[in-house]
């Protein structure tokens, strides 16, 4: 059966705008595109230890069998959530099936009808989708602009206000001034919620994330940790008070009405967290590569192209979908997997090449890909 005509037209519009999304093929290019920042997704150690844990504890089960509130709350969940909470110095952790599920579950359930959500304009789609499902009123503030945020806060006295941001933004790789943001939220008794998807495994001595590294974590209402990036596996957790965990178990629909993760998935999460405490050299190597990338782009005169970032995400602005796609293809033809980020994923005119830095990238690879970028652009 054919698609309805209006849907066909939407696809045609994407093709005409050179923004049609397609699933990429697997390649063996040098990785500058994945979120596998410290290589855990390819770690033979994590793979074998997770499997060994299941065998050793006689957990021979392929699936969760149901939602966690029915039959899917196998014993590994409590063990893993306790470990995660202790690792992050939080009262509690509640595992969700993905970062998307965690954000949708939180924002659709926690802010109430008479509450207000103030969110950074560059917040991830999963945050914005959850906000759309909320009964609270929502307003965006200019990116990392706390004067604009305070202006909005003052419009809603005597109101529960949720402030939402990310510790590293997925498309720009930049960070807000978290100390200033925490102080602002405390000044007006707001509830601060941060998504740490791109800081877990990256910031801190053991990759604990940016708020914990800055010792601000105990002043934040909720932290959302996603495992599909730095941990190289699947799932997410919301960190907060015991009361928040109890509330989410009762009201977060993306938690309640879905089959739980398999024991193997949860075992992998637990093992990856345990490895974070061991693999400090790997995390340090990632930090050194980020510094080296920034140094080299400055030496090669490429700094003006890039969004300022000290994270593992480095974005070079290449306006125009066709320009960004062509430049990415040129780098791929030379053996480097660099992906273009096109509008409408980013605003028109803000199309870009997004470089993801990893612990396993060599300095030679970093230097080569930046030299190629400079040759192609200039």
């Amino acid at each position: 059966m054919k698609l309805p005509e209006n849907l066909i037209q939407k696809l045609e519009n994407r093709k005409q705008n050179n923004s049609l999304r397609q699933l990429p093929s697997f390649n063996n290019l040098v990785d500058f595109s994945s979120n596998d920042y410290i290589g855990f997704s390819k770690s033979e150690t994590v793979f074998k230890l997770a499997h060994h844990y299941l065998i050793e504890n006689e957990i021979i089960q392929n699936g969760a069998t149901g939602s966690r509130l029915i039959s899917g709350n196998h014993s590994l969940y409590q063990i893993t959530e306790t470990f995660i909470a202790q690792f992050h110095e939080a009262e509690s952790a509640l595992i969700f099936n993905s970062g998307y599920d965690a954000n949708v579950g939180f924002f659709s359930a926690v802010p109430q009808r008479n509450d207000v959500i103030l969110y950074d304009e560059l917040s991830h789609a999963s945050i914005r989708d959850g906000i759309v499902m909320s009964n609270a009123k929502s307003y965006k503030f200019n990116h990392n602009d706390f004067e604009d945020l305070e202006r909005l806060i003052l419009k809603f006295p005597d109101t529960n206000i949720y402030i939402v941001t990310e510790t590293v933004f997925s498309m720009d790789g930049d960070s807000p001034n978290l100390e200033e943001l925490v102080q602002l939220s405390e000044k007006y008794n707001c509830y601060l919620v941060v998504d740490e998807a791109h800081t877990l495994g990256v910031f801190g001595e053991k990759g604990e994330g940016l708020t914990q590294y800055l010792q601000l974590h105990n002043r934040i209402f909720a932290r959302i940790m996603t495992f599909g990036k730095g941990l190289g596996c699947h799932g997410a957790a919301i960190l907060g008070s015991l009361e928040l965990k109890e509330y989410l178990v009762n009201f977060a629909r993306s938690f309640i009405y879905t089959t739980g993760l398999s024991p193997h998935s949860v075992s992998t999460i637990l093992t990856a967290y345990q490895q974070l405490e061991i693999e400090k050299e790997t995390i340090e190597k990632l930090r050194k590569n980020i510094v080296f990338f920034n140094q080299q782009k400055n030496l090669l005169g490429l700094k003006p192209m890039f969004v300022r970032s000290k994270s593992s995400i480095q974005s070079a602005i290449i306006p125009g979908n066709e320009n960004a796609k062509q430049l990415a293809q040129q780098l791929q033809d030379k053996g480097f997997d660099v992906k273009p980020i096109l509008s409408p994923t980013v605003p028109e005119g803000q199309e870009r090449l997004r470089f993801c830095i990893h612990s396993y990238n060599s300095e030679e690879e970093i230097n080569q890909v930046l030299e190629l970028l400079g040759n192609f652009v200039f």
Side-chain angles (χ1 to χ4, degrees):
M1 183 180 291
K2 289 184 63 177
L3 273 178
E5 192 60 39
N6 57 344
L7 302 187
I8 292 174
Q9 186 57 51
K10 291 185 75 171
L11 282 174
E12 285 300 319
N13 291 342
R14 280 284 170 92
K15 292 174 184 176
Q16 291 172 13
N17 294 332
N18 208 13
S19 59
L20 183 70
R21 296 184 176 103
Q22 293 178 299
L23 293 173
S25 301
F26 176 78
N27 63 64
N28 289 312
L29 305 178
V30 176
D31 183 8
F32 281 102
S33 68
S34 81
N35 295 321
D36 188 24
Y37 302 127
I38 53 176
F40 273 21
S41 80
K42 307 177 187 71
S43 170
E44 186 176 348
T45 300
V46 171
F47 183 88
K48 287 182 175 179
L49 286 176
H51 181 71
H52 179 72
Y53 185 94
L54 294 171
I55 299 300
E56 189 177 56
N57 290 277
E58 299 182 346
I59 305 173
I60 314 300
Q61 183 178 327
N62 293 320
T65 76
S67 72
R68 289 184 63 184
L69 287 167
I70 303 296
S71 61
N73 196 43
H74 45 81
S75 59
L76 256 177
Y77 265 117
Q78 182 176 346
I79 294 167
T80 304
E81 287 175 340
T82 299
F83 189 95
I84 292 170
Q86 291 173 347
F87 182 94
H88 287 296
E89 300 177 3
E91 274 190 30
S92 75
L94 182 65
I95 291 175
F96 283 71
N97 285 12
S98 70
Y100 190 96
D101 283 346
N103 276 326
V104 167
F106 181 93
F107 291 106
S108 65
V110 176
Q112 298 297 293
R113 185 173 301 278
N114 293 319
D115 298 341
V116 168
I117 305 169
L118 305 179
Y119 64 99
D120 190 290
E121 64 179 341
L122 297 187
S123 294
H124 191 266
S126 59
I127 293 172
R128 290 184 278 112
D129 286 357
I131 290 172
V132 167
M133 296 170 67
S134 171
N135 288 320
K137 293 179 180 179
S138 61
Y139 305 87
K140 61 186 177 184
F141 59 89
N142 295 333
H143 181 50
N144 290 338
D145 184 342
F146 300 148
E147 288 186 8
D148 190 42
L149 173 59
E150 187 169 23
R151 177 186 63 81
L152 287 170
I153 291 172
L154 291 171
K155 287 186 174 184
F156 304 101
D158 304 317
T159 303
N160 287 335
I161 296 176
Y162 293 85
I163 298 172
V164 186
T165 193
E166 302 179 35
T167 46
V168 165
F169 285 85
S170 59
M171 289 297 108
D172 284 24
D174 61 344
S175 300
N177 184 327
L178 289 169
E179 177 69 43
E180 183 182 347
L181 183 57
V182 167
Q183 291 174 357
L184 186 63
S185 67
E186 290 176 339
K187 178 180 178 181
Y188 293 104
N189 296 314
C190 299
Y191 298 92
L192 180 57
V193 183
V194 296
D195 185 314
E196 296 227 49
H198 293 278
T199 64
L200 179 59
V202 178
F203 288 89
E205 184 182 352
K206 57 182 182 178
E208 61 268 28
L210 190 53
T211 58
Q212 199 170 340
Y213 172 64
L214 297 173
Q215 289 296 296
L216 298 171
H217 54 294
N218 289 323
R219 299 161 68 185
I220 292 169
F221 178 67
R223 288 176 280 162
I224 294 138
M225 296 287 174
T226 300
F227 309 145
K229 280 79 174 174
L231 285 195
C233 51
H234 198 66
I238 295 179
L239 311 176
S241 67
L242 291 168
E243 292 85 359
L244 176 61
K245 180 173 181 176
E246 183 178 31
Y247 182 86
L248 291 168
V249 167
N250 280 274
F251 294 101
R253 293 171 69 86
S254 64
F255 175 87
I256 297 166
Y257 298 108
T258 191
T259 300
L261 292 171
S262 70
H264 186 273
S265 291
V266 182
S267 176
T268 305
I269 294 166
L270 176 61
T271 302
Y273 262 105
Q274 291 169 338
Q275 286 302 114
L276 280 181
E277 297 192 313
I278 299 169
E279 303 248 3
K280 294 180 181 178
E281 289 184 6
T282 304
I283 297 168
E284 180 60 27
K285 179 61 165 61
L286 171 61
R287 286 198 203 99
K288 289 180 178 178
N289 279 350
I290 293 169
V291 170
F292 183 77
F293 188 98
N294 275 307
Q295 289 173 340
Q296 292 306 108
K297 76 184 185 190
N298 293 348
L299 286 173
L300 294 168
L302 299 172
K303 183 178 178 180
M305 294 176 57
F306 280 83
V307 178
R308 186 176 184 275
S309 167
K310 295 183 179 180
S311 77
S312 49
I313 299 169
Q314 304 281 332
S315 290
I317 304 301
I318 311 290
N321 281 346
E322 183 60 33
N323 292 335
K325 288 174 73 172
Q326 285 184 356
L327 194 50
Q329 187 62 56
Q330 287 177 291
L331 292 173
Q332 290 164 18
D333 290 342
K334 293 294 185 179
F336 296 94
D337 192 12
V338 178
K339 293 293 194 298
I341 307 297
L342 311 176
S343 58
T345 301
V346 292
E348 191 171 342
Q350 290 292 305
E351 296 82 5
R352 64 197 59 195
L353 298 184
R354 182 174 179 263
F355 295 79
C356 291
I357 315 303
H358 312 92
S359 60
Y360 50 84
N361 291 134
S362 68
E363 289 189 353
E364 182 182 5
E365 290 168 345
I366 292 171
N367 191 55
Q368 285 178 345
V369 76
L370 286 174
E371 283 187 344
L372 285 169
L373 176 64
N375 292 339
F376 292 146
V377 170
F378 301 126

